[in-house]
Amino acid sequence: MPETIIHTDRLTRTFNGVQALNALSMDIPAHSIVGFLGPNGAGKSTTIKLLLGLIHPTSGSGSVFGKDIVYESREIRQHVGYLAQQPRFDETMTARQTLRFVAKFFYNGPTNAIEQRVAESLELVGLQDKADRSVKGFSGGEMQRLGIAQAQINEPNLLILDEPAAALDPMGRRDVLNIMERLREKATIFYSTHILDDVERVSDRVVILNKGELVAQGPIESLLQAEEGAVYHVALKGDVESAKARIESQPWVSALHINRHNGTTHWRVGISDMDAANAHLLREVLASEGVQVLEYGLEAYELEDVFMQIVQR
Amino acid sequence: MTVTQALRPKRTTGRLTGFGNLVLRESRKWWGTRRWWMQVLIWLVILNGFVVFGLHVMPSIIEQSAAEMEQAAQSGAETMTAEEFQQDVPNVMFGLATFLLPVGVIILVQSQVYAEKRSGVAAWIMSKPVGRPAYLLAKLVVDAIGILLVMIVLQMIPAYILLTSVIEVNTGNFLLAVALLAMTLFFYQSFTLMMSVIGSSTEMVMGISLGVLLGGMVLKDPLTRILNDLIFLTPWTVPDAISLTLSGQPLPDVMQMTLVAVPTLTLVCLGVMFWQFRRQEL
């Protein structure tokens, strides 16, 4: 299995003159959980359908497991599990029949082994007691659970989940995240979502799209730090003017915002070189006489802040 | 041995990958639901009901009203004896079958692809290692077998038994007529499945498919005046061919064109269907 599971190169898709996806170039490493973010209409579902060969690119190219998404789509789907945004199944089938049907696309083998695999999958998503009910009567949450069960039944190397927790209540959401964490041992998980708390909880990396264009991708920690560059927060008391002059003169300081409150001065120090800042910032502040440092640390961003900043640019 | 060890991963087998599994799914729709016996019942009532009516009920009505019939004949009206009516039953039954069975086929097939595309079921299936031709071929094959068994074999066997118990029927001609009927149904099945792939609404799929069937019935005569022999390149002249076959008359050369044209049109429909679906987005 290659180290890069998904690779796209200027992948573009236009629908009737409207660009749904514009020159998306991204790389998804193996064994990661990747949150695929973006506002509605950003091009997330289009990207997912392109990766699965359900629609074709207008230009650009892509590969999954090193196989071309246009010409080797069947081979790709052999090792992929997919959950659609609004999962729909054959309504004449029960949950068990649905899973049996899906399993038989992937496996030969004794009937009892297939049945056991089906039973394990039902148990994984907590649908054992509804296994023999027609999916026609399933609620949105039950459909979603069944969708996850059928997506993982072939023990895929890559799970592509389009809004896996969208129709779920908080407990269902928690269960889905737990399932994803369990599956990460075996598979790379690429999932789109609007629920940023979930992304922060389980993802290693994020890819953010806006209006069909890639606006950010990378490990989640670096994204949280790198927006505006990293920012240190320093709370000071005393004569801060000389310290201010020293800090402003440093080449690795990109900005200094000052705020005073109840006799305490608060600095937000924008950093362009993280290593230099880690080594010198506190030392430079303390080198100024008459300054007392009350608080010092790297500002922690919520993913939501970063996401909003990026998509509202 | 664990489950995963016991299970052997399937290999993709080109464009027909997933065909066997899809055939099982489509077969369940026919034979695992009430569809098959409902269809058997409907067509038994309509087709064989007519045969019973034509062979047993109508002749006794004619015989009971012999005096009125004779009077009508004397006044120049066209009348039939009970025997003449019975002799005409196979012809009328096949006439009914070539009109009503295609309507049934169109209703059964129209939603096969279109509804699954609209609901997302087609996209779900195609997200598995499935060849697109396999998806269509499974529907085509299973429906064709279902239609052949339920609408033709299970109707024509009792019809033949009922007919031969009362009148003389040439078995060879009867079988040939059945074959022509099967050819017609397969054409309408293929045409409707193609429309189900191309169409963007149920109304469009049903409207065009029924339009081709009914339009041909209604407009055949005026179109014959315009198209002359080209009309024999359409499926609309198959009922005439069936009628001639049943009566034991040889088909005119021009009508033999129909026997080539209808299978050719069927293949064209299937070609368009596979080609369209291959490039469609789900």
Side-chain angles (χ1 to χ4, degrees), chain B residues 167-190:
Chain B
I167 59 172
E168 198 176 313
V169 177
N170 181 301
T171 306
N173 291 342
F174 187 86
L175 288 176
L176 210 54
V178 170
L180 289 173
L181 176 64
M183 179 183 80
T184 313
L185 294 193
F186 190 54
F187 166 76
Y188 282 106
Q189 184 203 342
S190 305

Short mmCIF file of all heavy atoms in Angstrom, two decimals, chain B residues 167-190:
data_model
loop_
_atom_site.label_atom_id
_atom_site.label_comp_id
_atom_site.label_asym_id
_atom_site.label_seq_id
_atom_site.Cartn_x
_atom_site.Cartn_y
_atom_site.Cartn_z
N ILE B 167 -60.42 -26.40 -30.71
CA ILE B 167 -60.21 -26.19 -32.15
C ILE B 167 -58.87 -26.79 -32.56
O ILE B 167 -58.04 -27.14 -31.71
CB ILE B 167 -60.24 -24.69 -32.53
CG1 ILE B 167 -59.15 -23.93 -31.76
CG2 ILE B 167 -61.62 -24.09 -32.30
CD1 ILE B 167 -58.97 -22.50 -32.20
N GLU B 168 -58.67 -26.84 -33.86
CA GLU B 168 -57.40 -27.37 -34.35
C GLU B 168 -56.40 -26.22 -34.45
O GLU B 168 -56.71 -25.18 -35.04
CB GLU B 168 -57.62 -28.00 -35.72
CG GLU B 168 -56.51 -28.94 -36.10
CD GLU B 168 -56.80 -29.64 -37.42
OE1 GLU B 168 -57.94 -30.14 -37.58
OE2 GLU B 168 -55.90 -29.66 -38.27
N VAL B 169 -55.26 -26.41 -33.82
CA VAL B 169 -54.22 -25.37 -33.86
C VAL B 169 -52.93 -25.99 -34.38
O VAL B 169 -52.51 -27.04 -33.88
CB VAL B 169 -53.97 -24.78 -32.45
CG1 VAL B 169 -52.85 -23.74 -32.48
CG2 VAL B 169 -55.23 -24.16 -31.89
N ASN B 170 -52.34 -25.34 -35.37
CA ASN B 170 -51.05 -25.84 -35.87
C ASN B 170 -49.97 -25.47 -34.87
O ASN B 170 -49.70 -24.28 -34.63
CB ASN B 170 -50.78 -25.20 -37.24
CG ASN B 170 -49.47 -25.69 -37.82
OD1 ASN B 170 -48.41 -25.54 -37.23
ND2 ASN B 170 -49.56 -26.31 -38.98
N THR B 171 -49.37 -26.49 -34.28
CA THR B 171 -48.41 -26.23 -33.19
C THR B 171 -47.22 -25.40 -33.67
O THR B 171 -46.78 -24.48 -32.97
CB THR B 171 -47.91 -27.58 -32.61
OG1 THR B 171 -49.03 -28.35 -32.24
CG2 THR B 171 -47.02 -27.37 -31.40
N GLY B 172 -46.71 -25.71 -34.83
CA GLY B 172 -45.55 -24.97 -35.36
C GLY B 172 -45.88 -23.50 -35.54
O GLY B 172 -45.10 -22.62 -35.13
N ASN B 173 -47.04 -23.24 -36.14
CA ASN B 173 -47.44 -21.85 -36.35
C ASN B 173 -47.66 -21.14 -35.01
O ASN B 173 -47.31 -19.96 -34.85
CB ASN B 173 -48.72 -21.78 -37.18
CG ASN B 173 -48.47 -22.23 -38.61
OD1 ASN B 173 -47.32 -22.28 -39.05
ND2 ASN B 173 -49.53 -22.59 -39.32
N PHE B 174 -48.25 -21.88 -34.08
CA PHE B 174 -48.50 -21.29 -32.75
C PHE B 174 -47.17 -20.92 -32.09
O PHE B 174 -47.02 -19.82 -31.55
CB PHE B 174 -49.27 -22.30 -31.88
CG PHE B 174 -49.71 -21.73 -30.56
CD1 PHE B 174 -50.91 -21.04 -30.44
CD2 PHE B 174 -48.92 -21.89 -29.42
CE1 PHE B 174 -51.32 -20.52 -29.22
CE2 PHE B 174 -49.32 -21.38 -28.20
CZ PHE B 174 -50.52 -20.69 -28.09
N LEU B 175 -46.20 -21.82 -32.16
CA LEU B 175 -44.89 -21.55 -31.54
C LEU B 175 -44.18 -20.38 -32.23
O LEU B 175 -43.53 -19.55 -31.57
CB LEU B 175 -44.01 -22.80 -31.59
CG LEU B 175 -44.42 -23.92 -30.64
CD1 LEU B 175 -43.54 -25.15 -30.85
CD2 LEU B 175 -44.33 -23.46 -29.19
N LEU B 176 -44.34 -20.32 -33.55
CA LEU B 176 -43.74 -19.21 -34.28
C LEU B 176 -44.37 -17.88 -33.85
O LEU B 176 -43.67 -16.86 -33.67
CB LEU B 176 -43.94 -19.44 -35.79
CG LEU B 176 -42.87 -18.88 -36.71
CD1 LEU B 176 -41.49 -19.37 -36.33
CD2 LEU B 176 -43.18 -19.28 -38.17
N ALA B 177 -45.68 -17.90 -33.67
CA ALA B 177 -46.38 -16.69 -33.22
C ALA B 177 -45.91 -16.29 -31.82
O ALA B 177 -45.70 -15.11 -31.52
CB ALA B 177 -47.89 -16.92 -33.22
N VAL B 178 -45.70 -17.29 -30.96
CA VAL B 178 -45.20 -17.02 -29.61
C VAL B 178 -43.80 -16.40 -29.69
O VAL B 178 -43.48 -15.45 -28.97
CB VAL B 178 -45.18 -18.32 -28.76
CG1 VAL B 178 -44.44 -18.09 -27.44
CG2 VAL B 178 -46.60 -18.79 -28.48
N ALA B 179 -42.98 -16.93 -30.60
CA ALA B 179 -41.62 -16.40 -30.76
C ALA B 179 -41.66 -14.93 -31.22
O ALA B 179 -40.90 -14.09 -30.73
CB ALA B 179 -40.84 -17.25 -31.75
N LEU B 180 -42.57 -14.64 -32.14
CA LEU B 180 -42.71 -13.24 -32.61
C LEU B 180 -43.18 -12.33 -31.48
O LEU B 180 -42.74 -11.20 -31.34
CB LEU B 180 -43.69 -13.18 -33.79
CG LEU B 180 -43.20 -13.79 -35.10
CD1 LEU B 180 -44.31 -13.82 -36.14
CD2 LEU B 180 -42.00 -13.00 -35.65
N LEU B 181 -44.09 -12.88 -30.66
CA LEU B 181 -44.57 -12.10 -29.50
C LEU B 181 -43.41 -11.84 -28.53
O LEU B 181 -43.24 -10.71 -28.04
CB LEU B 181 -45.69 -12.89 -28.80
CG LEU B 181 -46.25 -12.27 -27.51
CD1 LEU B 181 -46.93 -10.94 -27.81
CD2 LEU B 181 -47.25 -13.23 -26.85
N ALA B 182 -42.60 -12.86 -28.29
CA ALA B 182 -41.44 -12.70 -27.39
C ALA B 182 -40.47 -11.66 -27.94
O ALA B 182 -39.94 -10.83 -27.19
CB ALA B 182 -40.73 -14.04 -27.21
N MET B 183 -40.28 -11.69 -29.26
CA MET B 183 -39.38 -10.71 -29.89
C MET B 183 -39.90 -9.29 -29.67
O MET B 183 -39.14 -8.37 -29.35
CB MET B 183 -39.31 -11.03 -31.40
CG MET B 183 -38.45 -10.09 -32.20
SD MET B 183 -38.52 -10.50 -33.96
CE MET B 183 -40.07 -9.75 -34.43
N THR B 184 -41.22 -9.12 -29.80
CA THR B 184 -41.82 -7.80 -29.60
C THR B 184 -41.63 -7.33 -28.16
O THR B 184 -41.26 -6.18 -27.90
CB THR B 184 -43.34 -7.84 -29.91
OG1 THR B 184 -43.50 -8.50 -31.13
CG2 THR B 184 -43.93 -6.46 -29.97
N LEU B 185 -41.90 -8.24 -27.22
CA LEU B 185 -41.78 -7.86 -25.81
C LEU B 185 -40.34 -7.50 -25.47
O LEU B 185 -40.09 -6.57 -24.71
CB LEU B 185 -42.27 -8.99 -24.90
CG LEU B 185 -43.76 -9.33 -24.96
CD1 LEU B 185 -44.15 -10.22 -23.80
CD2 LEU B 185 -44.63 -8.09 -24.96
N PHE B 186 -39.40 -8.26 -26.04
CA PHE B 186 -37.99 -7.96 -25.75
C PHE B 186 -37.60 -6.60 -26.33
O PHE B 186 -36.82 -5.86 -25.73
CB PHE B 186 -37.08 -9.07 -26.29
CG PHE B 186 -35.65 -8.96 -25.82
CD1 PHE B 186 -35.36 -8.87 -24.47
CD2 PHE B 186 -34.60 -8.91 -26.72
CE1 PHE B 186 -34.05 -8.74 -24.02
CE2 PHE B 186 -33.29 -8.79 -26.29
CZ PHE B 186 -33.02 -8.70 -24.94
N PHE B 187 -38.19 -6.27 -27.48
CA PHE B 187 -37.93 -4.93 -28.04
C PHE B 187 -38.44 -3.86 -27.07
O PHE B 187 -37.70 -2.93 -26.73
CB PHE B 187 -38.61 -4.75 -29.41
CG PHE B 187 -38.64 -3.30 -29.82
CD1 PHE B 187 -37.49 -2.68 -30.29
CD2 PHE B 187 -39.80 -2.55 -29.67
CE1 PHE B 187 -37.50 -1.32 -30.62
CE2 PHE B 187 -39.82 -1.19 -29.98
CZ PHE B 187 -38.66 -0.59 -30.47
N TYR B 188 -39.69 -4.00 -26.61
CA TYR B 188 -40.24 -2.95 -25.73
C TYR B 188 -39.52 -2.92 -24.38
O TYR B 188 -39.35 -1.87 -23.78
CB TYR B 188 -41.76 -3.13 -25.56
CG TYR B 188 -42.51 -2.62 -26.77
CD1 TYR B 188 -43.09 -3.49 -27.68
CD2 TYR B 188 -42.58 -1.25 -27.04
CE1 TYR B 188 -43.73 -3.03 -28.82
CE2 TYR B 188 -43.23 -0.78 -28.17
CZ TYR B 188 -43.80 -1.66 -29.06
OH TYR B 188 -44.42 -1.19 -30.18
N GLN B 189 -39.08 -4.09 -23.92
CA GLN B 189 -38.29 -4.12 -22.68
C GLN B 189 -36.98 -3.34 -22.87
O GLN B 189 -36.62 -2.50 -22.04
CB GLN B 189 -37.97 -5.57 -22.29
CG GLN B 189 -37.24 -5.66 -20.96
CD GLN B 189 -36.43 -6.95 -20.81
OE1 GLN B 189 -36.65 -7.92 -21.53
NE2 GLN B 189 -35.50 -6.96 -19.88
N SER B 190 -36.30 -3.60 -23.98
CA SER B 190 -35.01 -2.93 -24.23
C SER B 190 -35.21 -1.43 -24.44
O SER B 190 -34.44 -0.61 -23.93
CB SER B 190 -34.34 -3.53 -25.47
OG SER B 190 -34.22 -4.91 -25.31
#
